[in-house]
Amino acid sequence: MWRVRRAAVACEVCQSLVKHSSGTKGSLPLQKLHLVSRSIYHTHHPTLKLQRPQLRMSLQQFSSLTSLPLRKLKLSPVKYGYQPHRNFWPARLAARLLKLRYLILGSAVGGGYTAKKTFDQWKDMIPDLSDYKWIVPDIVWEIDEYIDLEKIRKALPNSEDLAKLAPDFDKIAESLSLLKDFFTTGHKLVSEVIEASDLLLLLGSPGETAFRATDPGSESDKRYRKVSDKEKIDQLQEELLHTQLKYQRILERLEKENKELRKLVLQKDDKGIHHRKLKKSLIDMYSEVLDVLSDYDASYNTQDHLPRVVVVGDQSAGKTSVLEMIAQARIFPRGSGEMMTRSPVKVTLSEGPHHVALFKDSSREFDLTKEEDLAALRHEIELRMRKNVKEGCTVSPETISLNVKGPGLQRMVLVDLPGVINTVTSGMAPDTKETIFSISKAYMQNPNAIILCIQDGSVDAERSIVTDLVSQMDPHGRRTIFVLTKVDLAEKNVTSPSRIQQIIEGKLFPMKALGYFAVVTGKGNSSESIEAIRDYEEEFFQNSKLLKTSMLKAHQVTTRNLSLAVSDCFWKMVRESVEQQADSFKATRFNLETEWKNNYPRLRELDRNELFEKAKNEILDEVISLSQVTPKHWEEILQQSLWERVSTHVIENIYLPAAQTMNSGTFNTTVDIKLKQWTDKQLPNKAVEVAWETLQEEFSRFMTEPKGKEHDDIFDKLKEAVKEESIKRHKWNDFAEDSLRVIQHNALEDRSISDKQQWDAAIYFMEEALQARLKDTENAIENMVGPDWKKRWLYWKNRTQEQCVHNETKNELEKMLKCNEEHPAYLASDEITTVRKNLESRGVEVDPSLIKDTWHQVYRRHFLKTALNHCNLCRRGFYYYQRHFVDSELECNDVVLFWRIQRMLAITANTLRQQLTNTEVRRLEKNVKEVLEDFAEDSEKKVKLLTGKRVQLAEDLKKVREIQEKLDAFIEALHQEK
C-alpha cells in the first residue's frame, strides 16, 4: 500500500512538471522524474508516442526490483530530422537483426548482473544469526515432537469468537460519559475511570461510536441521563463481571487442553519413550521425608520444622470437602453431623497420567474415576482410622499417609486434622476435646507449617473455636490462609452482606492471615460429584452479589484459586526452610554417632530390625540343634521321666494290691487285669505328655544355654517369648497315642525273660523303686512322729503333742507287727480297739482314724523292707524261673512284673524318640518360623521384646541418617529444577 501511495504522489509531481513544460521544445527527460513514476505508464504525456527510443532504454535501465534505486545511464542525443536512406536493405535488415539480438542479450546480462549485485547487497546487510543460536533452548527446536501445535492452534479461539467475547464498548462509553457529567472533574477516581473509557474507545470501538459517546450533546446522553446512577453502575459492573467470566471459561478450556497434553506426555514417560532425569517427582521425595519423620522418636520431634499444609477447622465446617475439591475426588468417609476424621490424614498431591490414590504401606492403586474404587478407598480409610484409635479413646494422633496422583493436581502435602469440638457428646471419651486440641497444636506449632483455617460461613463467626486457636499459634498471620466455606448458604441466610465481607477481611475476630478465600463445597448432598460441585460453585459466584458489589475480588473465590495460592505458599516455604532443616539433622547425626562411639566402640550399629534378624538366625540354629541330640540321650531322658510319672501308680495301684494275695496265680491275674486297665486308659496319654514335656525342656535348654562370649543378653526376652509362643502353638499328633497304646499293650503281655542279664536288670530296677518308696515312707513317718532322740539331743528339737501321740501309736503298732509279720494290710476293728485301749492305759487318748493313718505308714515300711529282702533272695532265682518255679518254695513273680514294666518303658521311650526326631522336632521348627514371621510383622512386639539404650540409640541413628539422605536428595533435585 505504501508503494501505491508513493506512486500516486509521484504521478501528481510528474503531471505538474508536464503542465509547466508544455510548449517548450525540450521536454524533461524521464530519468529526472521520481523513481516510482518512471515505471508507471503516463497516458497524458503529449510526446510519449514520439519517443520510441525511450522505451528501449527503459528495458535496459529497470529490473523487476523496482523498490531499489538503479544506476543512471548516459543517453546519446537523438536527432529527429529527415535523413536520406540508401537501398542496401539486406544489409540494413541484417544490421537491425544483429542490433536487436545484441540489445536483448545485453539487457539480459545487465539485468542479471544488477539483480545479483542487489541480492548480494541485501545479503550483506542481514546480520549473521548463527552465532546467537545458543540463546534459543534446544527444546524449542524439538517442541513439535512433544506438543501438537496444530491441535493447540485449532483449540484457540479465532478473531470472530474473541470479538463476540469483547464487551460492548458503546454502552461503556455512554455510561462513563454520564458519570463524567454527574461527578466533578476534581475527583481522582472519576477521572481515572473516564481516562480508562477513552482508552477502551481508542483501542476497541469504531470511530463513529467513540465520537458519539464523547459528545455531551448527543441524543444517547439525553436518554441515559434519565436513568439513575445506581443502575448504570450496576450495569457496568455486571458487564465487566460477565466479560471476566467469559475469559475465565476460555482459560479453563485451555487448561483442560494443556492437562490432556501433559497426560499424554506423562503416559509416554511411563512407557519409557521419554526418559526424565528425575526418577521421582519433588513432591514424592518430600512426602517420603515426612513419612520417615512421622515414625521418628518423639524426643526429636521438636526438630521437625518441615513445611506442611495443616487443615484445621471446627467440626462439620467443611475441611474434608475443601480437601476433596483440591484433590478433585471424594476420597474421605462422610457422615451427617458425626465425627468422621478420627486421626490425621496426610495427603500428598502430585501430577500423574492417571487419577489414582494409594497408601504408603500398600501397593494397591485405587482408580478415582471409578465409583467402586472410591467407595473401597473411603472404607479402607475408615478401617485404618478405627484401627488407630485405641480402646477407650475417640481420636488418635497416629497419621494415615495417602498419595493422590492425577493430571493437573497442584503439588503439595496437606494434613487433615480432626475437627475441633466445643463439647463432648455421648459416646466420646472424656478427654476427646483436649486430645484434639493437643493434636492440632502439635501440628500448628511448627513455625514452617501453613495453617489452612476453615470457617463455616453458614454459622455465626462468634461460635467458632478454631479462630482463637489459630490466632494463638500464629498471632501475626504470617503463615495462615483463611477459607470461608458454604458461602452460598451464608449469602442466603445473612441479612447484611457486608458481614460476609467483614468475615473475609478478618474484622470480626482478631485472627490475621496471609490471604482470605471464599468457596462453595456443594449443595450438601454427599452423592455430588466434583464436577457438579465445581459447576455449581462457578454458577453461584457468577450470579453472586458479593462479586457484583466488589465485596469479594475474583482471585479470592473458587477452590481452584485457593489451591493455586496454597501451592505457591507451600513451595515458597519449602525452599526457604528445607536447607536449614537439613543442617539441623546433620548436627543431630553427629551427636548420635559420637555417643555410639563412646558407649559401644566395638559393636556394630544394628537397629531393631537388624537385631531381630540376628536373633532369628540364632533361634533357628538352636532349633536345628535339637535334631543333633543322640538317640541314646533321648531314650534315657524319656524313660526316666516316664517312670517318674507312672511309678506311684505302679507301686500303689498295681504292685501293692497284687502282693497282698496269697499265691502266685492270684498275683499274676491281678497284675494282668490292672495292667490292661492302665494301658487302655492312662498310660499312652501319660507317655505323650512326658514326651512333649521332654521336648520342651530340651528346647528351653538350647534356647537359654549361654554361648560364652558370643552370648548377647539383649535377645533373652525375645527368645523366651518365641519359646512360649511356639510351645503354645505346638500340638502332638493325635494318631501317635493310638499306635502307642498297641505297642505298650504288646510289651506288657510279654513275660519271658531270656537271659540272666535281663533278670539282674529287673532285680536292680525293682530294688531302686522299692528303696525310693521306702525312703519316702520313712520321711513321712519321721514327719508324723517328730525327731528321734539323736536329733533332739544334737539339734535341740522337741516333739509336739500330736507327734508324741503318733509316736506312741507307732510303737504300739510295731509291737503288733513283730508278733505277726504276715499280718494283712488292713487292721480289723477289734485290733483297732485293742490298740486304743492299750494307749489309754498309758494315758494317751487317740482317735481310730489316727490309728489307721499311722498303721498305713508303719505297714508300708514293713512291707517294703520285706519286699527288699525277698528281692535279695530272688537274685539266685533265675534258674527256678526257667523251670517255672517247680519244686521250689521261692516265687519271684514280682521280679517278672518289674521286668515287664521296665521293658515297656524302654519300648515306649524308643517309640517316642522316633516320633520326636522324625516328626515333632520338624513341626516345632515350623512353628518357631511362623512365630518369628509373625513377630517380624508386629512392630509393637519387637519394640516390647528388643529394648534398651543400645537399641534405641541405633534406631535414632538410623532414622536421622535416613532423613538426612532423603533431605539431601530432595535439595539436590530442588536445585536441579531451578
Side-chain angles (χ1 to χ4, degrees):
M1 295 300 295
W2 63 273
R3 293 181 180 178
V4 175
R5 288 194 293 268
R6 291 184 62 181
V9 174
C11 292
E12 293 178 0
V13 174
C14 294
Q15 291 176 6
S16 62
L17 291 174
V18 170
K19 291 179 181 180
H20 288 291
S21 60
S22 58
T24 60
K25 185 177 180 180
S27 61
L28 186 66
L30 192 60
Q31 294 86 346
K32 299 289 184 70
L33 299 177
H34 192 270
L35 177 61
V36 182
S37 64
R38 290 182 292 178
S39 61
I40 300 177
Y41 183 72
H42 300 273
T43 56
H44 56 274
H45 201 284
T47 60
L48 185 59
K49 295 180 181 180
L50 299 177
Q51 296 178 353
R52 294 181 61 185
Q54 192 73 17
L55 294 174
R56 291 197 301 267
M57 298 305 297
S58 65
L59 295 175
Q60 296 178 359
Q61 284 185 347
F62 303 109
S63 67
S64 61
L65 301 173
T66 57
S67 61
L68 295 176
L70 301 178
R71 296 182 179 180
K72 297 181 180 180
L73 299 178
K74 293 183 179 181
L75 301 177
S76 60
V78 181
K79 297 181 180 180
Y80 296 99
Y82 173 77
Q83 295 183 359
H85 298 279
R86 297 183 182 182
N87 294 327
F88 298 103
W89 61 272
R92 289 196 300 272
L93 180 61
R96 289 180 179 273
L97 291 175
L98 289 173
K99 186 176 181 180
L100 180 62
R101 180 183 62 186
Y102 291 145
L103 289 174
I104 295 173
L105 181 60
S107 300
V109 173
Y113 175 76
T114 305
K116 181 178 182 305
K117 192 169 183 180
T118 305
F119 175 74
D120 292 340
Q121 292 177 357
W122 276 34
K123 187 176 179 181
D124 294 339
M125 293 171 61
I126 297 175
D128 188 6
L129 299 178
S130 62
D131 296 337
Y132 301 94
K133 188 176 180 180
W134 61 271
I135 298 177
V136 182
D138 294 338
I139 192 173
V140 175
W141 311 111
E142 302 173 359
I143 195 170
D144 56 341
E145 297 180 7
Y146 309 111
I147 300 178
D148 192 354
L149 298 177
E150 184 64 24
K151 186 175 181 180
I152 295 178
R153 187 186 63 81
K154 293 180 180 180
L156 291 173
N158 51 26
S159 58
E160 295 180 358
D161 295 337
L162 291 176
K164 293 178 181 179
L165 295 175
D168 191 351
F169 291 103
D170 296 341
K171 295 182 179 180
I172 295 174
E174 292 172 359
S175 302
L176 293 177
S177 62
L178 289 176
L179 291 175
K180 185 177 179 180
D181 295 337
F182 283 107
F183 297 100
T184 61
T185 57
H187 294 287
K188 183 178 181 181
L189 178 63
V190 177
S191 61
E192 290 179 357
V193 172
I194 295 173
E195 290 176 2
S197 65
D198 295 339
L199 180 59
L200 291 174
L201 291 172
L202 290 175
L203 291 176
S205 61
E208 181 182 357
T209 307
F211 286 118
R212 186 176 66 249
T214 55
D215 186 8
S218 61
E219 296 179 359
S220 61
D221 291 344
K222 296 179 181 179
R223 183 175 65 255
Y224 279 100
R225 283 196 186 101
K226 299 178 182 179
V227 186
S228 64
D229 302 339
K230 184 177 180 182
E231 293 178 357
K232 285 296 181 179
I233 295 175
D234 293 343
Q235 185 180 1
L236 177 60
Q237 291 178 347
E238 185 177 357
E239 189 72 26
L240 290 174
L241 181 61
H242 183 69
T243 303
Q244 184 180 10
L245 292 176
K246 285 184 178 180
Y247 282 108
Q248 184 76 13
R249 293 193 196 98
I250 296 175
L251 181 61
E252 290 178 357
R253 187 174 65 181
L254 293 177
E255 286 181 350
K256 186 176 181 181
E257 293 289 338
N258 185 27
K259 185 188 299 183
E260 294 178 357
L261 293 175
R262 291 180 65 86
K263 182 178 179 180
L264 294 175
V265 173
L266 292 172
Q267 287 176 349
K268 290 181 179 180
D269 289 347
D270 290 343
K271 296 177 182 178
I273 297 176
H274 177 220
H275 299 285
R276 305 180 67 176
K277 295 181 180 179
L278 297 179
K279 295 182 179 180
K280 294 182 179 179
S281 63
L282 282 175
I283 192 64
D284 291 336
M285 297 173 68
Y286 187 76
S287 179
E288 289 180 358
V289 175
L290 297 182
D291 289 337
V292 176
L293 284 171
S294 64
D295 299 333
Y296 193 41
D297 186 62
S299 61
Y300 290 94
N301 274 344
T302 54
Q303 298 185 7
D304 177 18
H305 291 164
L306 292 174
R308 301 170 180 82
V309 181
V310 181
V311 186
V312 295
D314 299 328
Q315 183 179 350
S316 302
K319 300 185 290 73
T320 303
S321 300
V322 171
L323 191 55
E324 287 179 337
M325 290 293 291
I326 296 175
Q328 299 181 12
R330 308 300 294 268
I331 58 178
F332 290 102
R334 58 198 75 258
S336 57
E338 59 179 325
M339 179 182 293
M340 300 305 298
T341 306
R342 297 181 178 269
S343 65
V345 182
K346 181 177 75 67
V347 182
T348 303
L349 302 180
S350 60
E351 276 194 307
H354 307 290
H355 202 188
V356 295
L358 66 159
F359 292 96
K360 177 189 70 172
D361 55 353
S362 175
S363 59
R364 178 187 177 183
E365 285 190 351
F366 297 88
D367 190 351
L368 301 183
T369 60
K370 297 179 180 180
E371 187 58 37
E372 56 270 17
D373 280 18
L374 281 171
L377 176 61
R378 291 193 290 265
H379 181 65
E380 180 67 20
I381 293 176
E382 186 174 1
L383 289 179
R384 288 174 179 257
M385 287 183 180
R386 295 187 181 277
K387 182 180 179 180
N388 289 342
V389 177
K390 298 180 180 179
E391 186 177 357
C393 300
T394 306
V395 294
S396 170
E398 298 183 16
T399 305
I400 300 174
S401 182
L402 179 67
N403 293 341
V404 178
K405 298 183 179 180
L409 293 182
Q410 299 297 323
R411 303 178 303 168
M412 62 182 123
V413 177
L414 304 102
V415 182
D416 185 21
L417 300 180
V420 180
I421 60 175
N422 191 13
T423 56
V424 177
T425 59
S426 60
M428 293 185 179
D431 61 342
T432 302
K433 180 179 178 180
E434 290 76 14
T435 305
I436 295 175
F437 268 83
S438 62
I439 294 174
S440 302
K441 288 181 179 179
Y443 277 92
M444 288 190 294
Q445 70 183 3
N446 179 1
N448 295 322
I450 301 170
I451 304 173
L452 197 63
C453 180
I454 309 298
Q455 170 68 41
D456 189 352
S458 62
V459 299
D460 296 335
E462 292 80 6
R463 295 167 55 186
S464 176
I465 311 171
V466 70
T467 52
D468 295 336
L469 181 62
V470 171
S471 61
Q472 294 175 9
M473 296 292 104
D474 185 24
H476 302 289
R478 295 173 181 172
R479 51 189 180 90
T480 302
I481 297 177
F482 180 81
V483 181
L484 185 67
T485 61
K486 305 177 184 179
V487 184
D488 51 343
L489 300 178
E491 187 180 22
K492 184 186 301 183
N493 299 333
V494 177
T495 307
S496 176
S498 61
R499 184 174 176 83
I500 300 178
Q501 183 181 8
Q502 293 177 352
I503 296 175
I504 290 293
E505 295 177 355
K507 295 180 179 180
L508 287 183
F509 32 77
M511 190 191 73
K512 299 179 182 179
L514 282 173
Y516 299 86
F517 290 86
V519 298
V520 175
T521 55
K523 300 179 181 179
N525 187 2
S526 60
S527 61
E528 285 183 293
S529 63
I530 296 296
E531 291 76 11
I533 297 175
R534 188 185 293 113
D535 294 339
Y536 172 71
E537 183 183 40
E538 180 182 348
E539 181 183 358
F540 167 76
F541 283 116
Q542 181 178 357
N543 302 321
S544 175
K545 296 180 180 179
L546 299 174
L547 281 181
K548 292 181 179 180
T549 57
S550 299
M551 293 185 182
L552 295 178
K553 298 179 182 179
H555 68 273
Q556 290 182 300
V557 297
T558 71
T559 52
R560 176 185 171 277
N561 292 333
L562 171 64
S563 62
L564 290 173
V566 174
S567 178
D568 292 341
C569 187
F570 169 76
W571 283 107
K572 179 182 178 182
M573 192 76 76
V574 167
R575 290 185 176 91
E576 292 176 352
S577 61
V578 67
E579 294 187 359
Q580 180 181 359
Q581 294 300 307
D583 293 338
S584 67
F585 278 105
K586 287 180 182 178
T588 304
R589 174 179 176 178
F590 176 78
N591 296 336
L592 292 176
E593 289 177 346
T594 305
E595 184 178 358
W596 181 273
K597 291 178 182 178
N598 293 331
N599 294 325
Y600 312 102
R602 297 183 180 181
L603 292 179
R604 195 157 52 95
E605 300 168 3
L606 299 178
D607 61 2
R608 186 171 280 110
N609 292 330
E610 293 171 340
L611 287 172
F612 181 83
E613 290 298 324
K614 183 179 178 181
K616 177 181 177 182
N617 295 330
E618 288 187 6
I619 293 172
L620 293 177
D621 292 340
E622 291 164 357
V623 174
I624 293 175
S625 63
L626 281 174
S627 61
Q628 299 176 357
V629 178
T630 61
K632 182 180 179 181
H633 180 71
W634 278 120
E635 292 182 9
E636 289 178 355
I637 297 175
L638 289 170
Q639 188 171 352
Q640 181 180 358
S641 301
L642 183 60
W643 173 242
E644 291 176 356
R645 183 66 61 86
V646 302
S647 60
T648 303
H649 181 82
V650 171
I651 299 296
E652 302 293 338
N653 298 330
I654 299 176
Y655 174 64
L656 289 178
Q660 303 300 321
T661 57
M662 302 304 296
N663 54 50
S664 62
T666 308
F667 178 86
N668 291 331
T669 302
T670 305
V671 166
D672 291 341
I673 292 173
K674 290 187 176 296
L675 287 177
K676 181 69 168 59
Q677 295 175 350
W678 183 44
T679 306
D680 291 340
K681 297 180 179 179
Q682 299 180 6
L683 183 59
N685 187 20
K686 294 288 184 182
V688 170
E689 290 179 359
V690 167
W692 176 220
E693 291 175 359
T694 304
L695 180 61
Q696 294 181 32
E697 292 174 358
E698 290 297 308
F699 179 56
S700 301
R701 182 173 65 85
F702 281 105
M703 292 282 287
T704 58
E705 187 177 16
K707 305 298 187 296
K709 294 182 179 180
E710 298 179 357
H711 178 70
D712 196 346
D713 56 358
I714 203 171
F715 300 143
D716 291 345
K717 292 177 65 176
L718 176 62
K719 290 182 178 180
E720 185 67 23
V722 171
K723 183 195 72 173
E724 293 178 358
E725 185 65 24
S726 302
I727 291 173
K728 184 188 299 184
R729 295 186 184 185
H730 185 80
K731 293 183 179 180
W732 200 273
N733 192 358
D734 297 334
F735 298 101
E737 189 172 330
D738 297 333
S739 61
L740 188 62
R741 180 179 293 107
V742 177
I743 294 173
Q744 291 172 341
H745 187 271
N746 294 332
L748 291 173
E749 286 291 327
D750 189 7
R751 296 184 178 88
S752 60
I753 304 175
S754 59
D755 53 13
K756 182 70 166 57
Q757 185 178 1
Q758 293 181 0
W759 181 267
D760 294 339
I763 291 176
Y764 179 74
F765 175 64
M766 178 179 175
E767 285 181 343
E768 283 189 344
L770 294 178
Q771 287 177 357
R773 292 295 165 182
L774 179 59
K775 185 177 181 180
D776 294 339
T777 303
E778 288 180 348
N779 290 333
I781 292 175
E782 183 179 357
N783 293 330
M784 182 183 297
V785 300
D788 56 2
W789 64 271
K790 186 177 181 179
K791 290 183 179 180
R792 291 199 303 271
W793 281 96
L794 293 177
Y795 301 106
W796 295 84
K797 292 183 178 180
N798 295 321
R799 291 174 177 171
T800 62
Q801 184 66 30
E802 184 179 359
Q803 288 176 344
C804 293
V805 174
H806 278 288
N807 184 51
E808 294 293 335
T809 306
K810 176 183 76 72
N811 294 332
E812 189 68 24
L813 293 174
E814 285 178 347
K815 292 178 182 180
M816 185 184 297
L817 281 176
K818 286 181 180 180
C819 297
N820 184 12
E821 292 184 354
E822 296 182 357
H823 193 284
Y826 301 99
L827 286 174
S829 299
D830 54 348
E831 293 176 336
I832 295 174
T833 304
T834 303
V835 171
R836 184 170 61 83
K837 288 183 178 180
N838 292 336
L839 292 174
E840 288 178 353
S841 63
R842 294 198 297 267
V844 179
E845 295 289 337
V846 295
D847 189 77
S849 61
L850 186 144
I851 297 174
K852 291 181 180 179
D853 294 339
T854 308
W855 168 254
H856 176 73
Q857 297 297 334
V858 171
Y859 180 81
R860 184 184 180 86
R861 183 176 63 177
H862 170 72
F863 174 80
L864 290 174
K865 287 181 178 181
T866 305
L868 284 172
N869 293 330
H870 180 71
C871 186
N872 289 328
L873 295 174
C874 289
R875 289 183 183 276
R876 298 181 300 273
F878 180 69
Y879 171 75
Y880 300 103
Y881 166 75
Q882 288 179 331
R883 297 180 60 183
H884 304 287
F885 300 103
V886 179
D887 300 332
S888 174
E889 296 180 358
L890 182 65
E891 293 182 356
C892 298
N893 293 317
D894 49 356
V895 177
V896 177
L897 170 64
F898 277 93
W899 179 84
R900 294 166 67 182
I901 298 295
Q902 185 183 27
R903 187 168 181 271
M904 182 272 299
L905 293 175
I907 293 175
T908 302
N910 181 268
T911 304
L912 293 174
R913 189 266 306 169
Q914 293 180 6
Q915 186 174 358
L916 281 173
T917 56
N918 297 334
T919 305
E920 302 303 328
V921 171
R922 295 180 181 178
R923 293 179 62 224
L924 179 62
E925 181 180 356
K926 182 180 178 182
N927 290 337
V928 171
K929 289 181 179 179
E930 291 177 355
V931 171
L932 289 172
E933 290 176 357
D934 294 343
F935 283 6
E937 296 177 357
D938 192 349
S939 58
E940 295 182 358
K941 183 76 73 175
K942 287 189 290 186
V943 171
K944 181 179 179 181
L945 298 176
L946 293 174
T947 58
K949 180 181 178 181
R950 169 183 157 196
V951 181
Q952 193 60 46
L953 185 59
E955 281 286 306
D956 295 338
L957 190 54
K958 176 192 174 184
K959 288 290 180 64
V960 170
R961 284 175 177 169
E962 185 179 3
I963 294 169
Q964 182 189 350
E965 291 173 359
K966 290 184 178 296
L967 276 176
D968 292 342
F970 173 73
I971 292 172
E972 183 180 357
L974 192 64
H975 291 166
Q976 290 180 0
E977 187 182 69
K978 288 182 180 180

